[in-house]
């Protein structure tokens, strides 16, 4: 008996190019999951339009002025509950969650971050990487835990920084890689290959000691 496709909710705040990569992977039969809802905390997020175009429910949940973090998270949880997501994917969602929300979705929430974590958590990664004179950069998909951008890493995309790279050129190259690794991580989860166990990432029944790596220009399988 085939099991029902995993139900995925994607949380966004902006452009939604990573959401688009997930939509495209689902359409191509590469995700093994169904995107059941897209939620944005910003009404103008282009990703909401991308969801509607794809026939996916697009929900706007603004934060009220002065609203406590936990109150927003409770409203989000209430919005998500009837959609019964198996997995939440943070794809450029620019809010930090309360510990209670993170607990509720422990092992069922992935984030994509534009750096090679644990290096450069937080914002403005491309500029900071250049200022530090790094030679390597990339993106990471990780399980979300209470500490910002610090959950166990699953898969990374790595690229060599070139002379003449700018924050914009890096953002563009990193995005290309994000669109490779995010659908992969979601498809592994949906296939039951990926889980979080006692703080370790398990892929195909084995604990990952370091994230799976894809290199710019290298094979993508
Ligand atoms: C990505 O760089 C992601 O790593 C970060 O926010 C950006 C979202 O881009 N968390 P997009 O909205 O998916 O185009």
């Amino acid at each position: 008996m085939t099991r029902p496709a995993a139900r995925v909710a994607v949380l966004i705040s902006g452009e939604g190019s990573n959401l688009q990569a997930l939509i495209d992977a689902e359409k191509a039969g590469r995700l093994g999951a169904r995107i059941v809802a897209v939620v944005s905390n910003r009404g103008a997020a282009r990703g909401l339009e991308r969801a509607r175009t794809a026939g996916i429910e697009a929900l706007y949940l603004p934060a009220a002025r002065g609203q406590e973090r936990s109150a927003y998270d409770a409203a989000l949880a209430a919005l998500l509950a009837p959609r019964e997501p198996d997995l939440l994917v943070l794809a450029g969602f620019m809010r930090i969650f309360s510990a209670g929300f993170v607990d509720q979705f422990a092992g069922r929430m992935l984030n994509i971050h534009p750096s090679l974590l644990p290096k450069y958590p937080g914002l403005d990664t491309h500029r900071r990487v250049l200022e530090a004179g790094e030679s390597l950069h990339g993106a990471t998909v990780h399980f979300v835990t209470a500490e910002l951008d610090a959950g166990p890493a699953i898969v990374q995309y790595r690229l060599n920084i070139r002379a003449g790279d700018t924050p914009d050129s890096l953002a563009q190259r990193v995005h290309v890689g994000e669109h490779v690794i995010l659908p992969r991580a979601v498809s592994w989860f949906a296939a039951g290959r990926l889980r979080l166990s006692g703080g370790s990432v398990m892929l195909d029944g084995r604990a990952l000691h370091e994230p799976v790596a894809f290199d710019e220009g290298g094979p993508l399988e």
Side-chain angles (χ1 to χ4, degrees):
M1 210 175 76
T2 52
R3 51 190 202 154
R7 300 171 64 83
V8 177
V10 184
L11 274 48
I12 59 159
S13 298
E15 177 59 32
S17 71
N18 280 287
L19 164 67
Q20 190 66 55
L22 294 172
I23 292 171
D24 294 347
E26 180 183 345
K27 291 241 153 78
R30 280 186 282 113
L31 204 59
R34 204 173 125 216
I35 304 169
V36 294
V38 171
V39 184
S40 173
N41 63 326
R42 286 192 45 239
R46 164 115 199 277
L48 285 175
E49 199 46 52
R50 294 178 188 268
R52 281 185 212 107
T53 303
I56 298 166
E57 187 180 28
L59 301 160
Y60 168 41
L61 183 66
R65 239 205 149 128
Q67 187 178 28
E68 295 262 349
R69 193 180 299 290
S70 56
Y72 182 89
D73 292 354
L76 178 59
L79 188 66
L80 291 170
R83 276 95 191 167
E84 300 184 333
D86 300 301
L87 178 69
L88 298 194
V89 177
L90 312 183
F93 188 62
M94 302 302 283
R95 284 186 61 89
I96 295 174
F97 289 120
S98 52
F101 187 90
V102 173
D103 275 356
Q104 198 177 330
F105 288 95
R108 299 195 291 135
M109 180 155 51
L110 306 182
N111 181 45
I112 176 117
H113 180 78
S115 79
L116 294 175
L117 292 172
K119 286 187 144 187
Y120 305 99
L123 296 175
D124 219 0
T125 56
H126 310 305
R127 183 187 55 75
R128 285 157 59 211
V129 158
L130 286 172
E131 280 174 7
E134 297 280 0
S135 54
L136 262 187
H137 187 37
T140 305
V141 178
H142 65 95
F143 279 107
V144 175
T145 56
E147 201 186 330
L148 182 71
D149 297 331
I154 300 159
V155 55
Q156 292 188 319
Y157 179 84
R158 304 183 299 201
L159 54 80
N160 292 309
I161 294 180
R162 300 175 187 142
D165 261 326
T166 62
D168 282 349
S169 70
L170 282 183
Q172 225 175 351
R173 290 171 64 202
V174 166
H175 260 109
V176 170
E178 291 186 334
H179 302 162
V180 170
I181 61 175
L182 185 59
R184 284 227 176 18
V186 172
S187 73
W188 294 338
F189 187 93
R193 296 175 55 191
L194 171 70
R195 67 193 168 85
L196 185 65
S197 170
S200 294
V201 175
M202 305 290 294
L203 184 63
D204 295 329
R206 286 203 212 134
L208 280 189
H209 296 298
E210 43 189 57
V212 177
F214 289 93
D215 291 323
E216 185 182 57
L220 295 179
E221 288 312 321

